[in-house]
Amino acid sequence: MTALDLSSPVAVVGTGTMGQGIAQVALVAGHPVRLYDTLPGRARDAADAIGARLDRLVEKDQLTGADRDAARARLLPAENLSELADCALVVEAVLERLDVKQDLFRELEGIVDDDCLLATNTSSLSVTAIGGALRVPGRFVGLHFFNPAPLLPLVEVVSGFATDVTYATRAYETARAWGKTPVACADTPGFIVNRIARPFYAESFAVHEAQGADPATIDAVLRESGGFRMGAFELTDLIGQDVNESVTRSVWESFFQDVRFTPSLAQRRLVESGRLGRKTGQGWYDHRDGAERPEPDTAEQRQPPAYVVAEGDLAQAGDLLALIREAGIQVRDEDEDNGTRLVLPSGGQLALADGQTSVEFRDVVYFDLALDYRKATRIALSASQDTSPQTLAEAIGLFQALGKKVTVIGDVPGMIVARTVARIIDLAHDAVAKGVATEEDVDTAMRLGVNYPLGPFEWSRRLGRSWAYALLDDLHLRDPSGRYAPSLALYRHAHASDKREGTAS
């Protein structure tokens, strides 16, 4: 089935930020749009607000005056639900309460035609549960827009257990006709983005709770080494700690308190104290007028080593060898397959984060994963109290000679970027194996929904089939709570590679 005809009226129920944004998207696409809100006057106010935003689009030359005037003429506030009777699509963006949404759609079913597509913009409730209250649940879907809806391209098109594929396809094609990038997914807690994104926040909070590093330092490593647009602490301050924690808690509870989705106690304390981020002036950071932003921990300048000995090609960090040579530091090669370590003049070793800890070995400094070692502006190192000061100084000096700022964190297994990326890859494989979405849609959703520099499967291909599994398996040995236990899907993925390559598993 194709997208809705542009002559078909679209209704939006609920006129908050999301409701207004969705209405604007449908309106600019060319549909007649009806706005309804239970509070008297709210629909009219929302129509005025949308009109003002259309004026700004004209001022920015993103919309012509004629198109704005035509859009305004198609936008009608409704005083009663009965005025939505001829709509071909009704999108709900009301309070995130199951009973409220169910009551609304029951009432709508008595008003609209049986072929009218009914959609919820819920981000945390079950589409199946909302639609289960309907007489015709097959025409009910999730249309999860991201805020701000007029700007962000992603729409998750969610099929509930009873959703008919005809209506899911109609919703998908309609979103695409509106200029959005739709992805199809099954009704699972968190859908695609909010399910797979949990480790991005959780691992940063865990490193902080383990006293591995402070928020400003962790954020800087994620940005400057991992390639993420924002770190977890600054992003949750922007989202709102209460909102982010609520989504985490909802996913955790919906998965029957699966340890992989356990909320952060430190974040809970922030919420309990009313420090919700930018909207209250304080969160992980102080956002009040005149407050200074804390600087990340950055190591003082050290002398670089005269040479390093490379054991193998450094695998995922192979670009470092070229950078070291370009910096004028001699690289002495040792013939070792799949080596991931550099030997420093002190005799100590520099190794890529692998889920183990520095304290387990004699004089080893770990360095974190980078999205692109050439472009990265900061590299994190970790060492234990037993690490030789000379080895740590040489490791710091080496990366400084490559033009990088260096941050030294605590002896945290998997460090910051590596453990975060590995867990994201694992949850992505698990989701695809359970039929939530395709690999392509997962990658699209994570790039467009939360601005990841790469999709999880793009990362997996770049880092190697067994990389994430090996790192998480080592982490699981050191934290046997189950939080880091690799999924069966990731296990199969890694070991299928072993079998094809003819190596022992």
Side-chain angles (χ1 to χ4, degrees):
M1 179 173 287
T2 58
L4 293 176
D5 189 272
L6 290 180
S7 63
S8 302
V10 171
V12 178
V13 179
T15 58
T17 301
M18 283 305 303
Q20 290 183 33
I22 295 167
Q24 181 179 328
V25 170
L27 189 65
V28 171
H31 288 273
V33 173
R34 315 275 170 75
L35 287 172
Y36 175 78
D37 198 288
T38 56
L39 294 177
R42 283 286 297 272
R44 174 65 61 185
D45 291 343
D48 291 341
I50 293 170
R53 284 197 290 273
L54 296 179
D55 289 340
R56 289 195 290 274
L57 292 178
V58 173
E59 293 170 2
K60 297 177 182 178
D61 293 326
Q62 295 175 359
L63 190 69
T64 67
D67 286 342
R68 173 200 58 196
D69 294 342
R72 279 181 164 171
R74 294 194 304 271
L75 181 59
L76 299 174
E79 295 185 1
N80 298 289
L81 274 181
S82 59
E83 297 176 51
L84 313 184
D86 63 338
C87 288
L89 166 63
V90 181
V91 183
E92 161 274 314
V94 302
L95 187 66
E96 284 286 273
R97 271 181 44 188
L98 180 60
D99 58 335
V100 171
K101 294 179 187 292
Q102 287 179 328
D103 289 345
L104 169 64
F105 284 111
R106 284 194 193 99
E107 189 173 357
L108 280 169
E109 271 203 310
I111 296 170
V112 300
D113 185 82
D114 278 359
D115 193 46
C116 174
L117 180 62
L118 299 178
T120 174
N121 185 58
T122 186
S123 61
S124 61
L125 299 176
S126 163
V127 171
T128 300
I130 300 171
L134 300 182
R135 176 174 49 82
V136 187
R139 43 89 171 264
F140 187 75
V141 299
L143 276 178
H144 182 217
F145 289 78
F146 289 74
N147 192 30
L151 297 180
L152 294 185
L154 185 69
V155 177
E156 292 177 318
V157 181
V158 186
S159 293
F161 186 78
T163 301
D164 189 294
V165 66
T166 300
Y167 290 96
T169 302
R170 184 188 298 177
Y172 184 97
E173 294 299 334
T174 296
R176 185 157 64 177
W178 290 358
K180 296 301 181 182
T181 303
V183 292
C185 65
D187 184 21
T188 183
F191 308 142
I192 299 174
V193 172
N194 281 332
R195 172 177 175 154
I196 295 173
R198 293 351 292 164
F200 178 74
Y201 312 106
E203 293 313 307
S204 287
F205 299 161
V207 171
H208 175 53
E209 290 176 12
Q211 303 295 299
D214 62 87
T217 298
I218 296 169
D219 279 352
V221 172
L222 285 169
R223 289 193 314 270
E224 300 171 37
S225 182
F228 292 94
R229 185 167 298 183
M230 298 180 76
F233 297 92
E234 57 191 341
L235 180 55
T236 53
D237 265 3
L238 178 64
I239 294 168
Q241 299 302 330
D242 53 338
V243 174
N244 182 261
E245 201 245 7
S246 176
V247 172
T248 299
R249 187 167 295 276
S250 173
V251 172
W252 174 62
E253 291 175 349
S254 296
F255 276 114
F256 309 105
Q257 301 186 353
D258 186 329
V259 68
R260 295 177 302 166
F261 300 101
T262 301
S264 161
L265 180 59
Q267 188 180 39
R268 173 97 295 252
R269 292 293 179 257
L270 273 186
V271 174
E272 290 172 340
S273 68
R275 297 187 175 193
L276 307 182
R278 289 183 180 272
K279 61 187 175 184
T280 61
Q282 286 182 287
W284 294 110
Y285 297 103
D286 189 341
H287 301 280
R288 294 171 296 184
D289 291 343
E292 292 186 10
R293 178 70 177 260
E295 293 294 324
D297 285 339
T298 303
E300 294 181 359
Q301 196 68 34
R302 297 286 192 274
Q303 286 294 319
Y307 68 91
V308 294
V309 178
E311 295 183 346
D313 61 5
L314 296 192
Q316 293 80 14
D319 289 348
L320 282 177
L321 294 180
L323 292 175
I324 294 169
R325 291 187 176 100
E326 290 168 16
I329 298 172
Q330 182 185 8
V331 176
R332 302 175 183 175
D333 295 320
E334 280 197 2
D335 187 16
E336 181 172 326
D337 292 335
N338 300 318
T340 57
R341 294 173 184 250
L342 294 172
V343 181
L344 299 166
S346 64
Q349 294 184 327
L350 187 59
L352 177 62
D354 59 6
Q356 301 182 87
T357 56
S358 180
V359 75
E360 299 172 53
F361 304 97
R362 188 189 67 80
D363 218 13
V364 168
V365 174
Y366 279 104
F367 65 94
D368 207 351
L369 181 70
L371 174 69
D372 184 327
Y373 283 100
R374 185 171 292 276
K375 294 179 180 179
T377 58
R378 182 179 299 272
I379 295 293
L381 305 179
S382 70
S384 75
Q385 66 272 21
D386 297 330
T387 302
S388 160
Q390 179 62 26
T391 295
L392 182 57
E394 289 176 347
I396 293 171
L398 174 65
F399 282 103
Q400 288 173 336
L402 307 186
K404 317 299 183 186
K405 295 177 182 178
V406 176
T407 284
V408 180
I409 69 171
D411 190 14
V412 178
M415 301 193 67
I416 298 171
V417 180
R419 70 195 288 177
T420 299
V421 170
R423 287 209 60 216
I424 289 170
I425 289 172
D426 183 45
L427 289 189
H429 277 279
D430 185 54
V432 169
K434 292 176 178 173
V436 172
T438 65
E439 291 186 8
E440 181 180 4
D441 277 354
V442 167
D443 277 353
T444 297
M446 302 313 291
R447 285 197 313 270
L448 299 183
V450 278
N451 290 311
Y452 284 3
L454 292 175
F457 291 96
E458 292 174 311
W459 247 316
S460 184
R461 288 189 290 272
R462 176 183 288 197
L463 295 170
R465 293 178 63 96
S466 62
W467 176 83
Y469 174 81
L471 188 143
L472 292 175
D473 196 38
D474 276 336
L475 263 171
H476 178 54
L477 288 174
R478 287 150 186 82
D479 178 0
S481 64
R483 178 188 181 104
Y484 300 103
S487 67
L488 179 59
L490 192 64
Y491 176 88
R492 286 171 171 158
H493 178 76
H495 287 77
S497 169
D498 288 343
K499 183 176 181 180
R500 280 196 297 274
E501 294 169 3
T503 59
S505 60

